[in-house]
Amino acid sequence: MLILLLLFQRPTSVPSFLPPLTHVFNPRRDALPYPPSRKEFNRVSSSVFTSDKDDDITDGMDDDDDDGRIIDFDSRRMDIVRKLQNTYYRSINDLDYGRKSEDKESYGNDICSSGKTAKLDEATGRVLNLPLWRVGWVETPGRRNCLNVHEGQYTHMFETILSRSTASERGDDEGLGEGPLYFGHLYLPGGSASGRSGQGKYQLKTWQQELYDEARFDLSVLNTYKGNEYVNDRSAVVGCLMQILDHLRMDDGRLIILVQAVERFVVDEIIQTRPYAVANVQILLDDEQLPWSKSTNLRGGNDVVKGGNLSSDNAKRAIDENICKYIRGNAVSASFYYHDYEFDKPKLPISDNRIVDDKSDKYISKDDIPWIGISKLLPFARYSTDDISLERANEKRDSADKSLFVASDGFAAGVPPLEQQLQDGGILWNPFPIMASDVVIRRSQDLSDCDSLETLLWLALDDFCRATRFVLPEEISCLIPPEMDYLGITPKTTLSPKYPKLRRQRRLSYLAPSLIENLDVGKGMRQVWLNTPSTRARLRGALERFDHLNNELMGQFN
């Protein structure tokens, strides 16, 4: 038994991604002068040491070099760990299949099952059973990243998620691995170390708990500046819904995962916190996307609440959370229909040093990672060239807007919509203005039209590029309105005419500020942009910052 424990203990340099309850104390290397023989191993007595094809996982374990020492013992030990993983994570899917009709737990009005794949509940616009990746940086919709996963709790989390995809490929998932693979990205200052500190400000909370937590008004944790950087020393409740595109497994246990941010959410219900956090989250749309919005630019076009099909009386009667939650569900579902066009799905490149086929090793070394090829996929997501999904998405959006008529005949109990509660409670807020004498405070001009703000922002971007000789990334330049072809910005690709301009403006409102996030006016602002309630407020905040930079640049030439 001691020999078995020694074999399955990882070396200290290898991040652990073993299943729970497999961790033991690290042995001294000089205590293992040679690997145990097959007789000592006695694998026949336990089925856990048998792989799916009944191959002998101890083959070659008794090969010593001329000095009687172990040849690449760490590598062979990792081989055993991987085969244990394959057995463990496949058994999770088998267990979930057995739970399909039993052992379900009720959370609110939704029925969830522990371990199920995160999926959208179209009735309410919530994503159920979402695993949470709580780290010390922020993502915003439209960005793409490549994760280096090495902490034990998160390698376990992602292996569990990825096992659904593997089950789907085998055809034995019974619904477990269908659709996109999602997880939640949530800001936690200091990362996992802060989470283990036990301090209340770093604990995972729902938006309701955050709303009534008086500690968030403590001056030591209020949103403030640290030097020129905007900081918030508190765990966030608003995060980003991430989609997994591809992954690679490394020979030391780490995972390389290509992901992109597709929507934002607020934590609505906590399901578990160990071994990793899982929650039900509510997808948050911008105000302009909500059918009951009082915006004068409901969909970024000419349909206005007061003058269009949606009368102000109907809009007011629908402003009640008991009704809005179902209208929101339709609107969120419509938003997800656009993802196929808004986000292409590239794969991770393979190093030229490796010839990969169906029989090759699935685990790579750090020397095999094609960093240059990966960098070409980052940092922004790209649009798909196939716009066939847009017609269906537009139909779904129109249907969501019409649902306001049906809901407006219902009972209104006077409960404010979730979005209003979050704004009133200070969880969602508008970006703070730039306090400088050379900046026009755009919000004082009462610019509530997204079209006008978009035009002004593109003029400011053009001035910025001319002054700095900066070339806009293609992922941003493709967002320029077709009617602004008189500017010196010429995208290589153009968006489909069927693509709604409000969604184009929303994408621009997230990506334009990313160009200046390393400068004083934009440093540490990602969470602010994520917490901004509307597209127009985000466009306005970005415009004020580019105005300030352009005025400073012009002053250098005078």
Side-chain angles (χ1 to χ4, degrees):
M1 178 60 71
L2 176 60
I3 295 175
L4 290 178
L5 292 178
L6 296 179
L7 270 174
F8 295 119
Q9 169 59 25
R10 64 181 179 89
T12 56
S13 61
V14 179
S16 171
F17 63 147
L18 285 175
L21 305 180
T22 58
H23 298 275
V24 295
F25 292 105
N26 236 355
R28 292 171 51 194
R29 287 299 302 272
D30 58 5
L32 295 171
Y34 56 89
S37 66
R38 293 187 188 178
K39 291 182 179 179
E40 292 173 294
F41 203 86
N42 192 20
R43 75 173 183 90
V44 181
S45 61
S46 176
S47 61
V48 74
F49 302 115
T50 304
S51 69
D52 296 337
K53 297 182 180 181
D54 291 328
D55 56 335
D56 191 345
I57 67 172
T58 62
D59 282 348
M61 286 293 292
D62 50 0
D63 295 332
D64 296 340
D65 63 11
D66 294 338
D67 298 327
R69 294 174 298 184
I70 300 172
I71 301 176
D72 200 10
F73 180 72
D74 289 347
S75 175
R76 293 174 181 175
R77 180 159 49 183
M78 284 304 299
D79 288 339
I80 298 175
V81 170
R82 293 181 194 117
K83 296 195 176 186
L84 285 173
Q85 283 183 302
N86 290 337
T87 300
Y88 176 79
Y89 290 109
R90 179 160 186 168
S91 68
I92 288 181
N93 285 309
D94 295 339
L95 180 61
D96 286 339
Y97 173 70
R99 287 178 180 165
K100 189 172 182 181
S101 59
E102 58 186 30
D103 286 341
K104 290 186 178 179
E105 301 177 57
S106 177
Y107 298 96
N109 295 323
D110 303 297
I111 302 298
C112 308
S113 179
S114 176
K116 290 289 187 180
T117 303
K119 288 189 178 182
L120 174 67
D121 175 15
E122 295 190 8
T124 61
R126 301 208 306 171
V127 176
L128 308 179
N129 298 304
L130 185 69
L132 298 180
W133 161 264
R134 303 177 67 206
V135 287
W137 77 91
V138 182
E139 292 288 3
T140 54
R143 299 185 69 94
R144 184 181 289 160
N145 207 344
C146 189
L147 308 180
N148 174 24
V149 185
H150 59 87
E151 292 191 43
Q153 62 175 323
Y154 290 127
T155 52
H156 174 44
M157 182 185 87
F158 282 109
E159 287 286 3
T160 302
I161 297 173
L162 294 172
S163 68
R164 271 63 181 181
S165 176
T166 303
S168 181
E169 293 171 359
R170 291 197 308 259
D172 59 3
D173 63 304
E174 293 292 338
L176 293 172
E178 297 175 356
L181 296 178
Y182 293 128
F183 69 96
H185 185 117
L186 203 61
Y187 174 62
L188 175 63
S192 298
S194 297
R196 293 189 293 266
S197 68
Q199 298 186 55
K201 62 182 180 179
Y202 298 135
Q203 291 180 359
L204 178 63
K205 295 183 178 68
T206 66
W207 68 268
Q208 299 96 330
Q209 293 170 329
E210 181 74 358
L211 201 62
Y212 294 104
D213 186 359
E214 296 181 358
R216 67 190 178 109
F217 298 107
D218 188 338
L219 293 178
S220 64
V221 297
L222 276 176
N223 304 327
T224 184
Y225 280 98
K226 185 177 182 180
N228 291 319
E229 185 174 354
Y230 185 82
V231 296
N232 182 14
D233 188 29
R234 187 174 180 84
S235 178
V237 295
V238 177
C240 239
L241 181 68
M242 310 295 291
Q243 180 183 2
I244 296 177
L245 300 176
D246 197 13
H247 69 281
L248 294 172
R249 290 183 172 88
M250 299 190 66
D251 56 8
D252 61 2
R254 287 180 290 163
L255 291 170
I256 304 297
I257 305 181
L258 184 64
V259 300
Q260 55 193 11
V262 294
E263 297 283 354
R264 65 174 179 164
F265 66 79
V266 64
V267 178
D268 190 48
E269 206 164 14
I270 299 172
I271 295 178
Q272 70 178 46
T273 58
R274 294 288 185 273
Y276 54 84
V278 177
N280 294 337
V281 303
Q282 176 65 62
I283 298 298
L284 291 179
L285 302 178
D286 282 0
D287 284 350
E288 296 83 0
Q289 296 175 270
L290 301 172
W292 63 84
S293 173
K294 294 182 180 181
S295 168
T296 58
N297 190 359
L298 185 64
R299 291 194 306 230
N302 296 321
D303 297 330
V304 295
V305 171
K306 293 183 178 180
N309 293 327
L310 298 178
S311 68
S312 58
D313 290 338
N314 277 339
K316 290 179 181 178
R317 291 173 66 188
I319 300 299
D320 184 284
E321 178 57 22
N322 296 293
I323 298 173
C324 288
K325 60 183 178 181
Y326 300 109
I327 306 175
R328 182 188 301 112
N330 291 333
V332 169
S333 177
S335 182
F336 273 60
Y337 271 77
Y338 287 101
H339 291 176
D340 284 342
Y341 178 70
E342 292 176 324
F343 302 95
D344 68 346
K345 299 175 177 59
K347 297 295 184 180
L348 285 167
I350 301 298
S351 171
D352 294 337
N353 298 330
R354 295 181 68 238
I355 300 176
V356 178
D357 54 40
D358 294 338
K359 298 181 180 180
S360 64
D361 189 4
K362 295 181 180 180
Y363 301 90
I364 65 173
S365 68
K366 62 180 180 180
D367 297 329
D368 291 327
I369 300 178
W371 297 115
I372 296 178
I374 291 176
S375 67
K376 294 178 181 179
L377 302 175
L378 310 178
F380 304 123
R382 297 168 188 174
Y383 283 84
S384 170
T385 56
D386 186 3
D387 65 353
I388 192 172
S389 62
L390 285 180
E391 291 185 7
R392 177 59 177 155
N394 288 335
E395 291 176 1
K396 190 73 175 178
R397 177 204 62 185
D398 294 339
S399 175
D401 288 347
K402 292 177 182 177
S403 66
L404 181 60
F405 290 108
V406 177
S408 64
D409 293 330
F411 171 73
V415 180
L418 170 63
E419 294 78 7
Q420 189 62 50
Q421 294 181 57
L422 296 177
Q423 291 183 53
D424 292 344
I427 294 177
L428 298 181
W429 68 87
N430 291 330
F432 49 86
I434 295 292
M435 305 306 295
S437 58
D438 59 350
V439 175
V440 177
I441 304 301
R442 298 289 183 176
R443 62 198 70 195
S444 66
Q445 299 178 343
D446 194 26
L447 290 174
S448 58
D449 182 7
C450 286
D451 292 351
S452 300
L453 289 168
E454 180 190 35
T455 299
L456 291 172
L457 180 55
W458 274 109
L459 292 172
L461 284 170
D462 186 53
D463 290 341
F464 178 78
C465 292
R466 290 177 185 274
T468 60
R469 297 184 180 181
F470 177 75
V471 178
L472 288 175
E474 177 62 23
E475 297 89 341
I476 296 180
S477 64
C478 71
L479 300 173
I480 190 169
E483 62 271 17
M484 297 189 71
D485 55 357
Y486 54 85
L487 295 180
I489 301 173
T490 306
K492 295 180 181 179
T493 59
T494 57
L495 298 181
S496 170
K498 295 183 290 186
Y499 185 55
K501 61 180 176 180
L502 178 58
R503 296 195 69 88
R504 181 190 70 209
Q505 293 162 350
R506 175 176 176 260
R507 185 78 158 249
L508 177 66
S509 72
Y510 279 117
L511 298 192
S514 67
L515 301 175
I516 56 174
E517 61 184 16
N518 291 326
L519 304 178
D520 289 346
V521 294
K523 192 174 296 183
M525 288 283 292
R526 284 193 196 177
Q527 189 67 46
V528 176
W529 305 122
L530 195 61
N531 286 48
T532 302
S534 66
T535 299
R536 60 185 178 276
R538 215 176 291 116
L539 288 172
R540 189 168 51 220
L543 176 59
E544 290 175 353
R545 280 152 182 79
F546 276 100
D547 280 345
H548 174 61
L549 288 173
N550 289 337
N551 289 334
E552 283 193 337
L553 291 170
M554 291 300 295
Q556 295 178 3
F557 299 111
N558 294 335

